[in-house]
Amino acid sequence: GAVVSQHPSWVICKSGTSVKIECRSLDFQATTMFWYRQFPKQSLMLMATSNEGSKATYEQGVEKDKFLINHASLTLSTLTVTSAHPEDSSFYICSAAQGASQPQHFGDGTRLSIL
Amino acid sequence: QKEVEQNSGPLSVPEGAIASLNCTYSDRGSQSFFWYRQYSGKSPELIMSIYSNGDKEDGRFTAQLNKASQYVSLLIRDSQPSDSATYLCAVNNNAGNMLTFGGGTRLMVKP
């Protein structure tokens, strides 16, 4: 149980393109999902908390107009990187938990490369 | 001051030995503690959860929690080269699901 699916796993696109990443909880409902970013050889960095039916909560320094989050249902959250530039190239990972105080389960991640 | 601290390593152990990974946390109200393994280029994978003081064993893994000392550890017995990865300590200090992660300890198991 507690499977989180993330799609796509790899994206290569030109600068200025918008990219949408999907995160699904396959066998449980998640009112809260999390989006992380990780640069090579660095720690996980929480970008935002995605709340079903309401606005996402962004961490300090994360541009909410650039990283659009939509949590339209209890099993799906999407992250859209708008007008992506080479500095947005990174490993983006989502996670979800089955309930309060439960561990987060991570998707496989999306490696984004902006040319 | 970081809320969850880990030695970045690398921690190098020979194959078959016990690897001991340590983590300290600053919030005394923390309730849930987790260990994740992250292979290079992959996303984190949950390997242990612990909620109460003492030891919890699962196969070759043992998690140890001491809330009085604000300390949680992970022991890996009979270490294998396939255990070589970065191990992340994560702490939940509220009633929700948000976790605070340590920076991770890189473990290298030498054949």
Side-chain angles (χ1 to χ4, degrees):
Chain A
V3 177
V4 176
S5 174
Q6 188 172 340
H7 178 81
S9 56
W10 197 292
V11 180
I12 302 174
C13 57
K14 294 181 179 179
S15 185
T17 305
S18 292
V19 178
K20 180 186 281 189
I21 303 169
E22 291 188 349
C23 180
R24 295 180 184 273
S25 54
L26 295 187
D27 50 2
F28 65 100
Q29 294 183 330
T31 55
T32 306
M33 292 185 175
F34 302 90
W35 288 97
Y36 295 84
R37 180 168 55 181
Q38 189 174 37
F39 293 105
K41 300 192 186 300
Q42 293 189 22
S43 304
L44 281 176
M45 187 186 78
L46 179 66
M47 298 176 67
T49 302
S50 173
N51 305 299
E52 188 268 335
S54 64
K55 291 182 180 179
T57 305
Y58 290 83
E59 296 299 299
Q60 191 172 7
V62 178
E63 299 175 59
K64 60 182 180 182
D65 294 330
K66 181 167 186 64
F67 299 99
L68 301 179
I69 292 173
N70 186 316
H71 196 149
S73 76
L74 288 170
T75 59
L76 173 63
S77 175
T78 60
L79 168 68
T80 301
V81 184
T82 62
S83 187
H85 292 285
E87 60 266 27
D88 298 321
S89 299
S90 188
F91 190 41
Y92 292 84
I93 317 171
C94 72
S95 71
Q98 287 181 285
S101 302
Q102 294 297 306
Q104 291 178 21
H105 297 275
F106 288 86
D108 287 340
T110 298
R111 196 160 301 281
L112 177 62
S113 296
I114 308 299
L115 305 177
Chain B
Q1 181 183 3
K2 287 187 181 178
E3 296 179 35
V4 180
E5 296 259 14
Q6 294 181 255
N7 188 317
S8 61
L11 172 66
S12 184
V13 300
E15 183 174 357
I18 295 175
S20 178
L21 304 161
N22 304 313
C23 172
T24 57
Y25 59 95
S26 60
D27 187 342
R28 282 197 170 274
S30 299
Q31 299 293 321
S32 312
F33 306 85
F34 309 102
W35 283 98
Y36 290 84
R37 177 176 61 198
Q38 186 176 24
Y39 291 113
S40 180
K42 302 293 185 181
S43 65
E45 172 192 11
L46 178 70
I47 53 173
M48 288 289 283
S49 304
I50 187 165
Y51 301 91
S52 55
N53 281 328
D55 294 1
K56 179 182 178 183
E57 186 175 319
D58 183 1
R60 294 187 297 112
F61 299 100
T62 298
Q64 300 174 316
L65 175 61
N66 184 325
K67 289 186 178 180
S69 300
Q70 296 173 243
Y71 174 95
V72 58
S73 65
L74 179 70
L75 301 178
I76 306 175
R77 288 181 298 282
D78 189 22
S79 294
Q80 302 296 307
S82 58
D83 294 326
S84 298
T86 296
Y87 288 81
L88 302 170
C89 172
V91 175
N92 181 321
N93 52 17
N94 58 36
N97 308 128
M98 185 171 289
L99 296 179
T100 301
F101 284 87
T105 298
R106 184 172 160 225
L107 173 66
M108 297 172 60
V109 181
K110 307 253 181 180

PDB file of all heavy atoms in Angstrom, chain A residues 49-84:
ATOM      1  N   THR A  49       3.367  23.005   0.153  1.00  0.00           N
ATOM      2  CA  THR A  49       2.415  22.015   0.630  1.00  0.00           C
ATOM      3  C   THR A  49       1.125  22.211  -0.155  1.00  0.00           C
ATOM      4  O   THR A  49       0.571  23.322  -0.187  1.00  0.00           O
ATOM      5  CB  THR A  49       2.150  22.200   2.133  1.00  0.00           C
ATOM      6  OG1 THR A  49       3.397  22.096   2.830  1.00  0.00           O
ATOM      7  CG2 THR A  49       1.183  21.155   2.638  1.00  0.00           C
ATOM      8  N   SER A  50       0.681  21.150  -0.770  1.00  0.00           N
ATOM      9  CA  SER A  50      -0.497  21.200  -1.619  1.00  0.00           C
ATOM     10  C   SER A  50      -1.709  20.719  -0.825  1.00  0.00           C
ATOM     11  O   SER A  50      -1.692  19.623  -0.284  1.00  0.00           O
ATOM     12  CB  SER A  50      -0.257  20.284  -2.831  1.00  0.00           C
ATOM     13  OG  SER A  50      -1.410  20.144  -3.619  1.00  0.00           O
ATOM     14  N   ASN A  51      -2.740  21.553  -0.743  1.00  0.00           N
ATOM     15  CA  ASN A  51      -3.918  21.240   0.061  1.00  0.00           C
ATOM     16  C   ASN A  51      -5.127  21.041  -0.847  1.00  0.00           C
ATOM     17  O   ASN A  51      -5.455  21.914  -1.655  1.00  0.00           O
ATOM     18  CB  ASN A  51      -4.202  22.379   1.041  1.00  0.00           C
ATOM     19  CG  ASN A  51      -3.002  22.695   1.917  1.00  0.00           C
ATOM     20  OD1 ASN A  51      -2.535  21.861   2.668  1.00  0.00           O
ATOM     21  ND2 ASN A  51      -2.484  23.901   1.800  1.00  0.00           N
ATOM     22  N   GLU A  52      -5.785  19.917  -0.708  1.00  0.00           N
ATOM     23  CA  GLU A  52      -6.943  19.617  -1.538  1.00  0.00           C
ATOM     24  C   GLU A  52      -8.036  20.655  -1.334  1.00  0.00           C
ATOM     25  O   GLU A  52      -8.437  20.945  -0.212  1.00  0.00           O
ATOM     26  CB  GLU A  52      -7.459  18.210  -1.213  1.00  0.00           C
ATOM     27  CG  GLU A  52      -8.540  17.712  -2.143  1.00  0.00           C
ATOM     28  CD  GLU A  52      -9.940  18.026  -1.657  1.00  0.00           C
ATOM     29  OE1 GLU A  52     -10.114  18.194  -0.435  1.00  0.00           O
ATOM     30  OE2 GLU A  52     -10.857  18.083  -2.491  1.00  0.00           O
ATOM     31  N   GLY A  53      -8.471  21.238  -2.423  1.00  0.00           N
ATOM     32  CA  GLY A  53      -9.580  22.178  -2.371  1.00  0.00           C
ATOM     33  C   GLY A  53      -9.230  23.575  -1.904  1.00  0.00           C
ATOM     34  O   GLY A  53     -10.121  24.421  -1.758  1.00  0.00           O
ATOM     35  N   SER A  54      -7.959  23.832  -1.669  1.00  0.00           N
ATOM     36  CA  SER A  54      -7.577  25.191  -1.254  1.00  0.00           C
ATOM     37  C   SER A  54      -6.203  25.541  -1.821  1.00  0.00           C
ATOM     38  O   SER A  54      -5.572  24.723  -2.491  1.00  0.00           O
ATOM     39  CB  SER A  54      -7.569  25.311   0.272  1.00  0.00           C
ATOM     40  OG  SER A  54      -6.584  24.476   0.821  1.00  0.00           O
ATOM     41  N   LYS A  55      -5.769  26.743  -1.530  1.00  0.00           N
ATOM     42  CA  LYS A  55      -4.498  27.206  -2.080  1.00  0.00           C
ATOM     43  C   LYS A  55      -3.321  26.477  -1.437  1.00  0.00           C
ATOM     44  O   LYS A  55      -3.365  26.117  -0.252  1.00  0.00           O
ATOM     45  CB  LYS A  55      -4.346  28.714  -1.855  1.00  0.00           C
ATOM     46  CG  LYS A  55      -5.300  29.561  -2.673  1.00  0.00           C
ATOM     47  CD  LYS A  55      -5.038  31.048  -2.421  1.00  0.00           C
ATOM     48  CE  LYS A  55      -5.993  31.906  -3.254  1.00  0.00           C
ATOM     49  NZ  LYS A  55      -5.762  33.354  -3.011  1.00  0.00           N
ATOM     50  N   ALA A  56      -2.281  26.342  -2.221  1.00  0.00           N
ATOM     51  CA  ALA A  56      -1.063  25.724  -1.690  1.00  0.00           C
ATOM     52  C   ALA A  56      -0.340  26.695  -0.766  1.00  0.00           C
ATOM     53  O   ALA A  56      -0.494  27.911  -0.868  1.00  0.00           O
ATOM     54  CB  ALA A  56      -0.142  25.325  -2.840  1.00  0.00           C
ATOM     55  N   THR A  57       0.431  26.134   0.129  1.00  0.00           N
ATOM     56  CA  THR A  57       1.269  26.930   1.026  1.00  0.00           C
ATOM     57  C   THR A  57       2.702  26.829   0.548  1.00  0.00           C
ATOM     58  O   THR A  57       3.267  25.732   0.516  1.00  0.00           O
ATOM     59  CB  THR A  57       1.170  26.394   2.473  1.00  0.00           C
ATOM     60  OG1 THR A  57      -0.201  26.370   2.877  1.00  0.00           O
ATOM     61  CG2 THR A  57       1.971  27.273   3.414  1.00  0.00           C
ATOM     62  N   TYR A  58       3.280  27.956   0.181  1.00  0.00           N
ATOM     63  CA  TYR A  58       4.621  27.964  -0.390  1.00  0.00           C
ATOM     64  C   TYR A  58       5.662  28.300   0.674  1.00  0.00           C
ATOM     65  O   TYR A  58       5.424  29.117   1.563  1.00  0.00           O
ATOM     66  CB  TYR A  58       4.708  28.991  -1.518  1.00  0.00           C
ATOM     67  CG  TYR A  58       3.931  28.586  -2.748  1.00  0.00           C
ATOM     68  CD1 TYR A  58       2.557  28.822  -2.841  1.00  0.00           C
ATOM     69  CD2 TYR A  58       4.564  27.969  -3.825  1.00  0.00           C
ATOM     70  CE1 TYR A  58       1.838  28.434  -3.959  1.00  0.00           C
ATOM     71  CE2 TYR A  58       3.855  27.582  -4.949  1.00  0.00           C
ATOM     72  CZ  TYR A  58       2.490  27.822  -5.001  1.00  0.00           C
ATOM     73  OH  TYR A  58       1.782  27.432  -6.111  1.00  0.00           O
ATOM     74  N   GLU A  59       6.829  27.676   0.541  1.00  0.00           N
ATOM     75  CA  GLU A  59       7.931  27.991   1.436  1.00  0.00           C
ATOM     76  C   GLU A  59       8.566  29.318   1.024  1.00  0.00           C
ATOM     77  O   GLU A  59       8.434  29.772  -0.123  1.00  0.00           O
ATOM     78  CB  GLU A  59       8.977  26.877   1.405  1.00  0.00           C
ATOM     79  CG  GLU A  59       8.460  25.557   1.933  1.00  0.00           C
ATOM     80  CD  GLU A  59       8.013  25.641   3.377  1.00  0.00           C
ATOM     81  OE1 GLU A  59       8.857  25.964   4.247  1.00  0.00           O
ATOM     82  OE2 GLU A  59       6.820  25.362   3.640  1.00  0.00           O
ATOM     83  N   GLN A  60       9.242  29.898   1.964  1.00  0.00           N
ATOM     84  CA  GLN A  60       9.878  31.196   1.720  1.00  0.00           C
ATOM     85  C   GLN A  60      10.858  31.096   0.561  1.00  0.00           C
ATOM     86  O   GLN A  60      11.654  30.161   0.480  1.00  0.00           O
ATOM     87  CB  GLN A  60      10.618  31.654   2.982  1.00  0.00           C
ATOM     88  CG  GLN A  60      11.087  33.090   2.944  1.00  0.00           C
ATOM     89  CD  GLN A  60      11.646  33.542   4.284  1.00  0.00           C
ATOM     90  OE1 GLN A  60      11.796  32.739   5.215  1.00  0.00           O
ATOM     91  NE2 GLN A  60      11.958  34.814   4.396  1.00  0.00           N
ATOM     92  N   GLY A  61      10.754  32.053  -0.334  1.00  0.00           N
ATOM     93  CA  GLY A  61      11.667  32.094  -1.472  1.00  0.00           C
ATOM     94  C   GLY A  61      11.171  31.356  -2.705  1.00  0.00           C
ATOM     95  O   GLY A  61      11.811  31.428  -3.753  1.00  0.00           O
ATOM     96  N   VAL A  62      10.066  30.653  -2.599  1.00  0.00           N
ATOM     97  CA  VAL A  62       9.514  29.928  -3.748  1.00  0.00           C
ATOM     98  C   VAL A  62       8.427  30.797  -4.385  1.00  0.00           C
ATOM     99  O   VAL A  62       7.481  31.205  -3.716  1.00  0.00           O
ATOM    100  CB  VAL A  62       8.930  28.570  -3.326  1.00  0.00           C
ATOM    101  CG1 VAL A  62       8.317  27.864  -4.532  1.00  0.00           C
ATOM    102  CG2 VAL A  62      10.005  27.705  -2.689  1.00  0.00           C
ATOM    103  N   GLU A  63       8.586  31.073  -5.674  1.00  0.00           N
ATOM    104  CA  GLU A  63       7.653  31.966  -6.364  1.00  0.00           C
ATOM    105  C   GLU A  63       6.361  31.237  -6.703  1.00  0.00           C
ATOM    106  O   GLU A  63       6.349  30.325  -7.542  1.00  0.00           O
ATOM    107  CB  GLU A  63       8.299  32.470  -7.653  1.00  0.00           C
ATOM    108  CG  GLU A  63       9.580  33.269  -7.458  1.00  0.00           C
ATOM    109  CD  GLU A  63      10.200  33.605  -8.799  1.00  0.00           C
ATOM    110  OE1 GLU A  63       9.523  34.256  -9.612  1.00  0.00           O
ATOM    111  OE2 GLU A  63      11.355  33.204  -9.043  1.00  0.00           O
ATOM    112  N   LYS A  64       5.281  31.653  -6.110  1.00  0.00           N
ATOM    113  CA  LYS A  64       4.025  30.948  -6.326  1.00  0.00           C
ATOM    114  C   LYS A  64       3.474  31.159  -7.733  1.00  0.00           C
ATOM    115  O   LYS A  64       2.719  30.329  -8.239  1.00  0.00           O
ATOM    116  CB  LYS A  64       2.979  31.375  -5.295  1.00  0.00           C
ATOM    117  CG  LYS A  64       2.636  32.842  -5.311  1.00  0.00           C
ATOM    118  CD  LYS A  64       1.623  33.159  -4.220  1.00  0.00           C
ATOM    119  CE  LYS A  64       1.253  34.634  -4.217  1.00  0.00           C
ATOM    120  NZ  LYS A  64       0.300  34.948  -3.128  1.00  0.00           N
ATOM    121  N   ASP A  65       3.858  32.273  -8.374  1.00  0.00           N
ATOM    122  CA  ASP A  65       3.383  32.517  -9.735  1.00  0.00           C
ATOM    123  C   ASP A  65       4.180  31.728 -10.759  1.00  0.00           C
ATOM    124  O   ASP A  65       3.745  31.569 -11.904  1.00  0.00           O
ATOM    125  CB  ASP A  65       3.453  34.001 -10.065  1.00  0.00           C
ATOM    126  CG  ASP A  65       2.497  34.815  -9.219  1.00  0.00           C
ATOM    127  OD1 ASP A  65       1.444  34.257  -8.830  1.00  0.00           O
ATOM    128  OD2 ASP A  65       2.805  35.987  -8.930  1.00  0.00           O
ATOM    129  N   LYS A  66       5.334  31.243 -10.362  1.00  0.00           N
ATOM    130  CA  LYS A  66       6.154  30.451 -11.268  1.00  0.00           C
ATOM    131  C   LYS A  66       5.865  28.959 -11.096  1.00  0.00           C
ATOM    132  O   LYS A  66       5.865  28.214 -12.062  1.00  0.00           O
ATOM    133  CB  LYS A  66       7.634  30.709 -11.003  1.00  0.00           C
ATOM    134  CG  LYS A  66       8.540  29.923 -11.936  1.00  0.00           C
ATOM    135  CD  LYS A  66       9.961  30.411 -11.879  1.00  0.00           C
ATOM    136  CE  LYS A  66      10.788  29.716 -12.922  1.00  0.00           C
ATOM    137  NZ  LYS A  66      10.342  30.030 -14.289  1.00  0.00           N
ATOM    138  N   PHE A  67       5.626  28.564  -9.878  1.00  0.00           N
ATOM    139  CA  PHE A  67       5.365  27.162  -9.577  1.00  0.00           C
ATOM    140  C   PHE A  67       3.896  27.042  -9.140  1.00  0.00           C
ATOM    141  O   PHE A  67       3.565  27.192  -7.971  1.00  0.00           O
ATOM    142  CB  PHE A  67       6.315  26.662  -8.490  1.00  0.00           C
ATOM    143  CG  PHE A  67       7.765  26.733  -8.874  1.00  0.00           C
ATOM    144  CD1 PHE A  67       8.560  27.779  -8.438  1.00  0.00           C
ATOM    145  CD2 PHE A  67       8.330  25.757  -9.677  1.00  0.00           C
ATOM    146  CE1 PHE A  67       9.905  27.855  -8.801  1.00  0.00           C
ATOM    147  CE2 PHE A  67       9.673  25.809 -10.043  1.00  0.00           C
ATOM    148  CZ  PHE A  67      10.460  26.865  -9.607  1.00  0.00           C
ATOM    149  N   LEU A  68       3.051  26.757 -10.135  1.00  0.00           N
ATOM    150  CA  LEU A  68       1.619  26.693  -9.879  1.00  0.00           C
ATOM    151  C   LEU A  68       1.232  25.305  -9.399  1.00  0.00           C
ATOM    152  O   LEU A  68       1.562  24.311 -10.032  1.00  0.00           O
ATOM    153  CB  LEU A  68       0.847  27.038 -11.164  1.00  0.00           C
ATOM    154  CG  LEU A  68       1.118  28.422 -11.763  1.00  0.00           C
ATOM    155  CD1 LEU A  68       0.309  28.605 -13.038  1.00  0.00           C
ATOM    156  CD2 LEU A  68       0.810  29.520 -10.769  1.00  0.00           C
ATOM    157  N   ILE A  69       0.515  25.250  -8.301  1.00  0.00           N
ATOM    158  CA  ILE A  69       0.100  23.979  -7.736  1.00  0.00           C
ATOM    159  C   ILE A  69      -1.415  23.907  -7.699  1.00  0.00           C
ATOM    160  O   ILE A  69      -2.079  24.844  -7.242  1.00  0.00           O
ATOM    161  CB  ILE A  69       0.686  23.782  -6.330  1.00  0.00           C
ATOM    162  CG1 ILE A  69       2.208  23.612  -6.429  1.00  0.00           C
ATOM    163  CG2 ILE A  69       0.052  22.584  -5.625  1.00  0.00           C
ATOM    164  CD1 ILE A  69       2.919  23.588  -5.099  1.00  0.00           C
ATOM    165  N   ASN A  70      -1.933  22.785  -8.179  1.00  0.00           N
ATOM    166  CA  ASN A  70      -3.370  22.535  -8.176  1.00  0.00           C
ATOM    167  C   ASN A  70      -3.625  21.172  -7.541  1.00  0.00           C
ATOM    168  O   ASN A  70      -3.067  20.172  -7.974  1.00  0.00           O
ATOM    169  CB  ASN A  70      -3.916  22.576  -9.612  1.00  0.00           C
ATOM    170  CG  ASN A  70      -5.419  22.477  -9.646  1.00  0.00           C
ATOM    171  OD1 ASN A  70      -6.029  21.668  -8.952  1.00  0.00           O
ATOM    172  ND2 ASN A  70      -6.038  23.300 -10.442  1.00  0.00           N
ATOM    173  N   HIS A  71      -4.450  21.143  -6.517  1.00  0.00           N
ATOM    174  CA  HIS A  71      -4.777  19.883  -5.834  1.00  0.00           C
ATOM    175  C   HIS A  71      -6.277  19.693  -5.971  1.00  0.00           C
ATOM    176  O   HIS A  71      -7.042  19.969  -5.054  1.00  0.00           O
ATOM    177  CB  HIS A  71      -4.343  19.985  -4.373  1.00  0.00           C
ATOM    178  CG  HIS A  71      -4.275  18.679  -3.656  1.00  0.00           C
ATOM    179  ND1 HIS A  71      -3.381  18.469  -2.639  1.00  0.00           N
ATOM    180  CD2 HIS A  71      -4.963  17.538  -3.790  1.00  0.00           C
ATOM    181  CE1 HIS A  71      -3.538  17.243  -2.162  1.00  0.00           C
ATOM    182  NE2 HIS A  71      -4.491  16.663  -2.860  1.00  0.00           N
ATOM    183  N   ALA A  72      -6.674  19.224  -7.157  1.00  0.00           N
ATOM    184  CA  ALA A  72      -8.086  19.223  -7.526  1.00  0.00           C
ATOM    185  C   ALA A  72      -8.885  18.084  -6.908  1.00  0.00           C
ATOM    186  O   ALA A  72     -10.102  18.166  -6.803  1.00  0.00           O
ATOM    187  CB  ALA A  72      -8.203  19.159  -9.049  1.00  0.00           C
ATOM    188  N   SER A  73      -8.199  17.020  -6.509  1.00  0.00           N
ATOM    189  CA  SER A  73      -8.921  15.889  -5.917  1.00  0.00           C
ATOM    190  C   SER A  73      -8.078  15.285  -4.807  1.00  0.00           C
ATOM    191  O   SER A  73      -6.935  15.684  -4.583  1.00  0.00           O
ATOM    192  CB  SER A  73      -9.212  14.827  -6.979  1.00  0.00           C
ATOM    193  OG  SER A  73      -8.038  14.092  -7.282  1.00  0.00           O
ATOM    194  N   LEU A  74      -8.631  14.331  -4.110  1.00  0.00           N
ATOM    195  CA  LEU A  74      -7.919  13.710  -2.988  1.00  0.00           C
ATOM    196  C   LEU A  74      -6.810  12.768  -3.429  1.00  0.00           C
ATOM    197  O   LEU A  74      -6.089  12.219  -2.599  1.00  0.00           O
ATOM    198  CB  LEU A  74      -8.909  12.954  -2.100  1.00  0.00           C
ATOM    199  CG  LEU A  74      -9.825  13.844  -1.257  1.00  0.00           C
ATOM    200  CD1 LEU A  74     -10.911  13.015  -0.603  1.00  0.00           C
ATOM    201  CD2 LEU A  74      -9.035  14.598  -0.207  1.00  0.00           C
ATOM    202  N   THR A  75      -6.670  12.573  -4.740  1.00  0.00           N
ATOM    203  CA  THR A  75      -5.625  11.675  -5.217  1.00  0.00           C
ATOM    204  C   THR A  75      -4.709  12.313  -6.252  1.00  0.00           C
ATOM    205  O   THR A  75      -3.828  11.641  -6.793  1.00  0.00           O
ATOM    206  CB  THR A  75      -6.237  10.399  -5.836  1.00  0.00           C
ATOM    207  OG1 THR A  75      -7.086  10.787  -6.925  1.00  0.00           O
ATOM    208  CG2 THR A  75      -7.036   9.614  -4.805  1.00  0.00           C
ATOM    209  N   LEU A  76      -4.883  13.587  -6.543  1.00  0.00           N
ATOM    210  CA  LEU A  76      -4.086  14.200  -7.603  1.00  0.00           C
ATOM    211  C   LEU A  76      -3.675  15.618  -7.248  1.00  0.00           C
ATOM    212  O   LEU A  76      -4.501  16.459  -6.905  1.00  0.00           O
ATOM    213  CB  LEU A  76      -4.879  14.225  -8.914  1.00  0.00           C
ATOM    214  CG  LEU A  76      -4.236  14.980 -10.090  1.00  0.00           C
ATOM    215  CD1 LEU A  76      -2.921  14.319 -10.506  1.00  0.00           C
ATOM    216  CD2 LEU A  76      -5.205  15.054 -11.264  1.00  0.00           C
ATOM    217  N   SER A  77      -2.381  15.865  -7.360  1.00  0.00           N
ATOM    218  CA  SER A  77      -1.843  17.213  -7.264  1.00  0.00           C
ATOM    219  C   SER A  77      -0.950  17.428  -8.476  1.00  0.00           C
ATOM    220  O   SER A  77      -0.266  16.505  -8.914  1.00  0.00           O
ATOM    221  CB  SER A  77      -1.031  17.399  -5.983  1.00  0.00           C
ATOM    222  OG  SER A  77      -0.414  18.680  -5.950  1.00  0.00           O
ATOM    223  N   THR A  78      -0.978  18.632  -9.031  1.00  0.00           N
ATOM    224  CA  THR A  78      -0.110  18.940 -10.158  1.00  0.00           C
ATOM    225  C   THR A  78       0.746  20.157  -9.843  1.00  0.00           C
ATOM    226  O   THR A  78       0.317  21.079  -9.145  1.00  0.00           O
ATOM    227  CB  THR A  78      -0.908  19.213 -11.442  1.00  0.00           C
ATOM    228  OG1 THR A  78      -1.777  20.336 -11.230  1.00  0.00           O
ATOM    229  CG2 THR A  78      -1.734  18.005 -11.836  1.00  0.00           C
ATOM    230  N   LEU A  79       1.964  20.119 -10.358  1.00  0.00           N
ATOM    231  CA  LEU A  79       2.899  21.241 -10.259  1.00  0.00           C
ATOM    232  C   LEU A  79       3.208  21.686 -11.678  1.00  0.00           C
ATOM    233  O   LEU A  79       3.643  20.865 -12.494  1.00  0.00           O
ATOM    234  CB  LEU A  79       4.187  20.815  -9.552  1.00  0.00           C
ATOM    235  CG  LEU A  79       5.362  21.786  -9.616  1.00  0.00           C
ATOM    236  CD1 LEU A  79       5.070  23.051  -8.820  1.00  0.00           C
ATOM    237  CD2 LEU A  79       6.651  21.134  -9.104  1.00  0.00           C
ATOM    238  N   THR A  80       2.959  22.945 -11.983  1.00  0.00           N
ATOM    239  CA  THR A  80       3.295  23.487 -13.284  1.00  0.00           C
ATOM    240  C   THR A  80       4.413  24.500 -13.132  1.00  0.00           C
ATOM    241  O   THR A  80       4.251  25.485 -12.394  1.00  0.00           O
ATOM    242  CB  THR A  80       2.072  24.153 -13.955  1.00  0.00           C
ATOM    243  OG1 THR A  80       1.026  23.188 -14.099  1.00  0.00           O
ATOM    244  CG2 THR A  80       2.446  24.698 -15.330  1.00  0.00           C
ATOM    245  N   VAL A  81       5.512  24.232 -13.804  1.00  0.00           N
ATOM    246  CA  VAL A  81       6.628  25.174 -13.833  1.00  0.00           C
ATOM    247  C   VAL A  81       6.401  26.062 -15.045  1.00  0.00           C
ATOM    248  O   VAL A  81       6.486  25.599 -16.194  1.00  0.00           O
ATOM    249  CB  VAL A  81       7.978  24.451 -13.941  1.00  0.00           C
ATOM    250  CG1 VAL A  81       9.130  25.454 -13.873  1.00  0.00           C
ATOM    251  CG2 VAL A  81       8.118  23.398 -12.844  1.00  0.00           C
ATOM    252  N   THR A  82       6.060  27.313 -14.804  1.00  0.00           N
ATOM    253  CA  THR A  82       5.712  28.203 -15.907  1.00  0.00           C
ATOM    254  C   THR A  82       6.945  28.910 -16.446  1.00  0.00           C
ATOM    255  O   THR A  82       7.845  29.280 -15.686  1.00  0.00           O
ATOM    256  CB  THR A  82       4.680  29.244 -15.451  1.00  0.00           C
ATOM    257  OG1 THR A  82       5.262  30.048 -14.407  1.00  0.00           O
ATOM    258  CG2 THR A  82       3.424  28.587 -14.925  1.00  0.00           C
ATOM    259  N   SER A  83       6.977  29.059 -17.770  1.00  0.00           N
ATOM    260  CA  SER A  83       8.085  29.747 -18.437  1.00  0.00           C
ATOM    261  C   SER A  83       9.423  29.303 -17.844  1.00  0.00           C
ATOM    262  O   SER A  83      10.185  30.113 -17.297  1.00  0.00           O
ATOM    263  CB  SER A  83       7.914  31.263 -18.310  1.00  0.00           C
ATOM    264  OG  SER A  83       8.878  31.945 -19.079  1.00  0.00           O
ATOM    265  N   ALA A  84       9.674  28.019 -17.973  1.00  0.00           N
ATOM    266  CA  ALA A  84      10.863  27.442 -17.339  1.00  0.00           C
ATOM    267  C   ALA A  84      12.143  27.953 -17.986  1.00  0.00           C
ATOM    268  O   ALA A  84      12.206  28.180 -19.199  1.00  0.00           O
ATOM    269  CB  ALA A  84      10.798  25.926 -17.423  1.00  0.00           C
TER     270      ALA A  84
END
